Amino acid sequence: MALGTVKFIGETGRWQMQHPLPMDDTLFQHWREMLEARIGISLPQERKSFLVTSLAVRMREVGCENYADYLELLESGRNGAVEWEILVDRLTVHETRFCRDQQALLLVEQEVQRRLPKNPDEPVKLDFWSVGCATGEEPYSLAITVEHFLQSVDRPGLYSVMATDISRASLASAREGVFHRNRLKNMPVELLRTYFKPYDLDHYQLVKRIRDRVCFTRLNLINLDANRIGGMDVIFCQNVLIYFRRERRVEIVNRLVDHLRPGGVLILGAGELVNWNHPALVPIVNEEVIAYRREQEEDAVL
Ligand SMILES: C[S@@+](CC[C@H](N)C(=O)[O-])C[C@H]1O[C@@H](n2cnc3c(N)ncnc32)[C@H](O)[C@@H]1O
């Protein structure tokens, strides 16, 4: 398939197909290394056309006619930093939807139930973290699951969801809490009616009491050490690790474990990190979900 973008050529008054600039192996390798150092993602050969096309679109938007000019822009102080933000957003995959992994959400519900205090008036206190939250469907699904469960058993809860991602554009969209109906296809009708209001013909808006439970923050997973993150009871990390090399996946998940409170649960996506174990964790027996619990007797870092 010919890859190209369409450009309006003022002098001719016509739209013309523009072909992306060719990228030789040395330059491709340079881009791969830069992206890996900056955001950790590892770009396989098969993704070269995606890189070339994405760069072509962005270079045209900023008026750069060759890679050297664009690389210079990326290196140019504050403007370069802003440009990196935009490029990172273009080169990362933000595919997501509500209730994407229903079995994992069921496990979360069971976890909340397990932690309900004996005294029915005492609120259950829980902190969740959605790692690589994209446009918010995952953390909001977590908040809805917890809220709905607590309502159903008529118990009070003090809970919050920290939602982090590298893409500022995704986070901005997430904060709005407005979603196209296609993203809500997995959402049970009862939950849709309870927690969303029609926004326009194709969109729904999440009710404020759920939006208020979720705090969106920019965080680059390869700089986890540089961030102050509190202890978490449930860490949900799905469909993110796949973009990293195995060694990097292991580093990231080991750091996530440091942020798990004793007794806390780490939930990963199926097949994202095989043959991995951690001395502080025991696997949770569940045929459908990859999850681990941090042992209680472990000396807590947090
Ligand atoms: C496919 S989405 C997954 C969304 C959600 N977890 C889900 O399963 O539906 C992957 C997200 O990981 C984010 N991401 C990629 N590299 C990252 C990094 N280095 N630090 C933080 N987030 C990153 C992307 O911006 C993207 O929003």
Side-chain angles (χ1 to χ4, degrees):
M1 189 181 73
L3 289 166
T5 53
V6 180
K7 182 183 183 186
F8 186 71
I9 311 290
E11 311 91 69
T12 62
R14 290 212 193 111
W15 292 89
Q16 274 182 14
M17 193 71 177
Q18 292 266 298
H19 292 282
L21 293 171
M23 180 184 279
D24 66 22
D25 288 349
T26 312
L27 188 57
F28 179 50
Q29 188 54 27
H30 180 61
W31 274 101
R32 284 170 101 166
E33 284 166 15
M34 269 199 316
L35 291 170
E36 180 135 18
R38 194 103 190 174
I39 44 178
I41 60 169
S42 121
L43 219 54
Q45 186 69 33
E46 314 85 82
R47 300 278 287 163
K48 181 175 170 184
S49 58
F50 164 75
L51 173 69
V52 168
T53 312
S54 307
L55 286 175
V57 173
R58 185 58 195 155
M59 283 163 61
R60 204 186 60 238
E61 286 169 0
V62 292
C64 282
E65 299 207 334
N66 56 59
Y67 291 121
D69 286 355
Y70 189 57
L71 283 167
E72 196 176 312
L73 169 62
L74 286 173
E75 314 258 290
S76 60
R78 212 184 121 53
N79 286 347
V82 172
E83 186 54 32
W84 261 114
E85 297 277 342
I86 297 166
L87 187 62
V88 162
D89 178 59
R90 301 288 176 90
L91 296 179
T92 39
V93 177
H94 307 291
E95 164 71 26
T96 185
R97 57 189 176 276
F98 277 90
C99 303
R100 187 172 188 174
D101 185 344
Q102 308 219 11
Q103 294 304 318
L105 292 174
L106 188 60
L107 185 84
V108 167
E109 192 179 299
Q110 288 160 356
E111 190 57 24
V112 181
Q113 182 164 31
R114 192 173 181 271
R115 287 163 178 254
L116 288 176
K118 288 208 172 61
N119 172 358
D121 296 325
E122 190 186 327
V124 58
K125 294 181 187 152
L126 289 163
D127 290 302
F128 296 83
W129 181 5
S130 161
V131 179
C133 65
T135 39
E137 287 80 343
E138 180 182 279
Y140 285 137
S141 298
L142 280 167
I144 290 172
T145 300
V146 177
E147 179 67 23
H148 201 65
F149 173 73
L150 291 174
Q151 292 290 327
S152 71
V153 293
D154 196 18
R155 295 289 298 262
L158 288 175
Y159 66 91
S160 67
V161 183
M162 178 172 84
T164 62
D165 202 282
I166 197 169
S167 160
R168 281 195 203 278
S170 294
L171 293 169
S173 155
R175 286 185 191 105
E176 305 245 304
V178 175
F179 297 93
H180 193 275
R181 56 188 157 74
N182 287 346
R183 297 287 177 91
L184 287 150
K185 280 181 181 158
N186 282 359
M187 178 64 67
V189 176
E190 190 196 347
L191 298 187
L192 186 66
R193 288 210 187 110
T194 312
Y195 298 105
F196 291 85
K197 289 179 294 187
Y199 184 76
D200 61 25
L201 229 46
D202 289 325
H203 296 82
Y204 288 85
Q205 184 168 39
L206 203 55
V207 295
K208 189 170 179 308
R209 74 177 197 275
I210 295 293
R211 294 207 309 271
D212 287 350
R213 293 287 183 173
V214 184
C215 168
F216 291 95
T217 309
R218 184 177 183 273
L219 183 145
N220 184 347
L221 282 172
I222 66 169
N223 291 336
L224 275 174
D225 286 338
N227 288 277
R228 284 176 61 87
I229 302 158
M232 294 289 156
D233 298 295
V234 176
I235 300 180
F236 210 90
C237 179
Q238 293 195 324
N239 306 301
V240 181
L241 296 173
I242 36 170
Y243 302 106
F244 301 89
R245 278 185 294 111
R246 182 181 160 82
E247 306 88 88
R248 185 80 82 172
R249 295 180 196 193
V250 171
E251 274 168 33
I252 292 172
V253 178
N254 286 343
R255 288 297 289 127
L256 294 182
V257 176
D258 292 341
H259 295 287
L260 208 52
R261 290 188 177 130
V265 173
L266 171 68
I267 299 174
L268 302 180
E272 289 193 80
L273 190 58
V274 287
N275 297 328
W276 171 80
N277 50 50
H278 187 287
L281 299 184
V282 284
I284 294 178
V285 181
N286 185 309
E287 285 190 2
E288 320 253 11
V289 188
I290 309 294
Y292 304 83
R293 186 181 300 284
R294 182 165 187 158
E295 290 185 294
Q296 288 284 0
E297 57 276 13
E298 179 67 23
D299 286 340
V301 177
L302 298 155

